[in-house]
């Protein structure tokens, strides 16, 4: 069984390296290469990999490490500077996108109100992993449009929690204001713990670890903080990615943030490739060919709608027209959390 898994990893990395190399020669992003490799490898391609679940587990680690490194680069001071983007731009983007999709689904697609609201939830979310990977590859993470995009993405990730809680309500399976309020209360507690840890506990602990002069102990401690915080937030009903981001924020307040980034970076790059490959494996080529015109119309519609709502939201948060247009383009796709939400809705 172990050898089968190693064989799968060998095939995944081998084909991915080849595809990314070929597309790199054509000046195509490595993300596209990973997605194409996943589509070829997956059960709907040539079925080289049939157990997609194992790959998805490793891919989840990639998302955690990605959000952790982003948190390392966004200290509490920087996050407070982004509050207008997170609260103002993020809230407006989610409201505009959800509202527009509800109207389109209800009046044009003739869906019920609950189904239309659910469609709005799905489309409102953008891919944090893809956007941040693109921004980092282009060294634009600290550019005005990069910071605006990240601020809105942070708010979208926070919205995953209430969206997930509203799914059983929309389906008529129970749940309600009491459960939603309780989860929000837990989220507030988690943020409070993070603020306390960032100010007092973690910097002192890291200082003691560094005094041992053991690089191995330092790396293990950093990974423990990252995965431990993600696990804690997951158990409290929040997302793993949000927990990892908060862990990064905590460590960013210490003087060892730069060292943590350099030590974690190799792990992040490897596992992030697996994340994009696992997304590519979800591609059902047969369904795509049979419904190509419908899919193209839906995709183009979503890209246009989300570009406009993202642009309006960034402009409302005080960005220039040029920065707002760039932000709208970066936020124009649907995110990985939409897959999670869609599965919950399907059930």
């Amino acid at each position: 069984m172990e050898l089968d898994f190693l064989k799968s990893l060998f095939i995944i990395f081998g084909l991915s390296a080849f595809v990314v190399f070929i597309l790199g020669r054509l000046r195509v992003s490595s993300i596209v290469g990973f997605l194409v490799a996943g589509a070829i490898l997956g059960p709907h391609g040539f079925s080289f990999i049939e157990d997609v679940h194992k790959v998805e587990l490793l891919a989840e680690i990639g998302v955690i490490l990605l959000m952790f490194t982003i948190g390392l680069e966004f200290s509490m001071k920087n996050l407070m500077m982004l509050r207008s983007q997170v609260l103002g731009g993020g809230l407006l983007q989610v409201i505009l996108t959800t509202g527009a999709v509800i109207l389109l689904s209800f009046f044009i697609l003739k869906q019920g109100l609950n189904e239309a609201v659910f469609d709005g939830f799905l489309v409102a979310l953008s891919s944090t992993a893809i956007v941040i990977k693109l921004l980092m590859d282009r060294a634009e993470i600290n550019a005005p449009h990069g910071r605006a995009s990240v601020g809105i993405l942070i708010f979208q990730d926070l919205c995953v929690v209430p969206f997930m809680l509203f799914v059983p309500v929309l389906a008529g399976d129970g749940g309600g204001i009491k459960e939603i309020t309780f989860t929000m209360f837990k989220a507030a507690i988690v943020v409070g713990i993070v603020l306390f840890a960032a100010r007092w506990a973690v910097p002192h602990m890291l200082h003691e670890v560094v005094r041992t002069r053991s690089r191995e102990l330092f790396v293990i401690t950093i990974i423990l903080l990252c995965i431990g915080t993600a696990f804690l937030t997951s158990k409290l009903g929040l997302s793993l990615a949000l927990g990892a981001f908060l862990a990064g924020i905590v460590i960013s307040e210490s003087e060892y943030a730069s060292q943590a980034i350099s030590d974690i970076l190799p792990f992040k790059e490897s596992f992030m490739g697996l994340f994009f490959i696992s997304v590519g494996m979800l591609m059902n080529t047969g369904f795509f060919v049979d419904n190509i015109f419908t899919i193209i119309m839906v995709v183009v519609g979503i890209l246009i709608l989300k570009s406009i709502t993202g642009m309006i939201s960034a402009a409302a948060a005080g960005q220039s027209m040029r920065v707002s247009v760039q932000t709208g383009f970066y936020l124009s796709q649907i995110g990985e959390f939409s897959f999670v939400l869609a599965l919950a809705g399907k059930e």
Side-chain angles (χ1 to χ4, degrees):
M1 192 67 178
E2 291 81 1
L3 290 178
D4 287 341
F5 186 54
L6 288 176
K7 177 184 174 184
S8 298
L9 285 179
F10 173 75
I11 294 171
I12 288 169
F13 283 118
L15 181 62
S16 301
F18 176 75
V19 172
V20 170
F21 174 77
I22 296 298
L23 292 179
R25 289 281 184 167
L26 300 173
R27 299 185 180 277
V28 177
S29 170
S30 61
I31 294 178
V32 177
F34 288 128
L35 293 172
V36 170
I40 295 171
L41 289 166
H44 303 294
F46 290 98
S47 297
F48 290 118
I49 308 297
E50 294 185 356
D51 191 356
V52 180
H53 181 64
K54 289 182 179 178
V55 180
E56 288 175 341
L57 292 176
L58 294 175
E60 193 72 56
I61 298 175
V63 176
I64 290 171
L65 293 176
L66 173 72
M67 294 304 296
F68 179 63
T69 53
I70 296 305
L72 284 171
E73 295 178 357
F74 278 85
S75 63
M76 287 300 299
K77 181 181 178 181
N78 290 333
L79 197 59
M80 290 305 294
M81 290 172 62
L82 281 177
R83 62 183 180 275
S84 64
Q85 311 296 335
V86 176
L87 298 176
L91 178 62
L92 184 59
Q93 187 273 337
V94 170
I95 290 174
L96 287 177
T97 307
T98 305
V101 173
I102 289 173
L103 293 175
L104 290 170
S105 296
F106 187 75
F107 290 107
I108 296 179
L109 300 180
K110 303 300 181 183
Q111 292 195 343
L113 182 58
N114 287 8
E115 289 84 353
V117 171
F118 182 68
D119 290 342
F121 288 171
L122 292 178
V123 178
L125 303 174
S126 302
S127 175
T128 303
I130 289 178
V131 173
I132 291 179
K133 179 74 164 60
L134 287 172
L135 289 171
M136 294 183 76
D137 286 348
R138 299 180 181 184
E140 296 176 353
I141 194 77
N142 288 312
H145 62 274
R147 297 172 72 84
S149 299
V150 171
I152 294 173
L153 287 167
I154 291 171
F155 185 84
Q156 289 181 0
D157 286 347
L158 291 171
C159 286
V160 173
V161 179
F163 284 0
M164 289 292 289
L165 291 171
F166 270 116
V167 169
V169 178
L170 294 174
D173 294 333
I177 300 300
K178 183 178 180 181
E179 184 181 353
I180 294 170
T181 304
F182 181 60
T183 302
M184 294 297 101
F185 175 70
K186 289 191 293 185
I189 291 176
V190 170
V191 173
I193 292 172
V194 167
L195 293 174
F196 173 81
R199 184 68 180 86
W200 289 286
V202 172
H204 177 72
M205 181 180 69
L206 289 179
H207 181 69
E208 294 300 319
V209 169
V210 170
R211 286 182 61 185
T212 65
R213 299 181 181 274
S214 171
R215 186 171 181 269
E216 293 81 4
L217 178 60
F218 181 78
V219 173
I220 290 173
T221 304
I222 294 298
I223 294 176
L224 177 65
L225 287 170
C226 170
I227 297 177
T229 308
F231 178 75
L232 174 64
T233 55
S234 176
K235 283 295 183 183
L236 291 174
L238 308 175
S239 74
L240 288 167
L242 179 61
F245 176 78
L246 292 174
I249 290 286
V250 167
I251 296 175
S252 73
E253 294 300 303
S254 75
E255 57 191 293
Y256 308 110
S258 298
Q259 182 64 40
I261 291 174
S262 64
D263 288 339
I264 292 297
L265 208 57
F267 297 100
K268 185 202 77 173
E269 295 296 341
S270 300
F271 284 109
M272 271 309 298
L274 284 172
F275 166 73
F276 293 116
I277 291 167
S278 68
V279 172
M281 287 181 179
L282 297 174
M283 174 73 170
N284 188 331
T285 50
F287 181 86
F288 178 79
V289 172
D290 293 339
N291 301 274
I292 185 166
F293 294 111
T294 303
I295 291 172
I296 290 174
M297 288 174 60
V298 171
V299 169
V300 170
I302 289 173
L303 291 175
I304 294 173
L305 172 65
K306 294 199 69 177
S307 293
I308 294 172
T309 58
M311 181 179 68
I312 293 172
S313 302
Q319 299 296 335
S320 67
M321 181 56 67
R322 176 174 167 273
V323 171
S324 299
V325 171
Q326 289 175 304
T327 303
F329 279 129
Y330 271 112
L331 299 174
S332 61
Q333 24 56 43
I334 289 181
E336 57 276 2
F337 285 125
S338 295
F339 290 114
V340 179
L341 200 60
L343 288 174
K346 186 178 179 181
E347 291 173 2

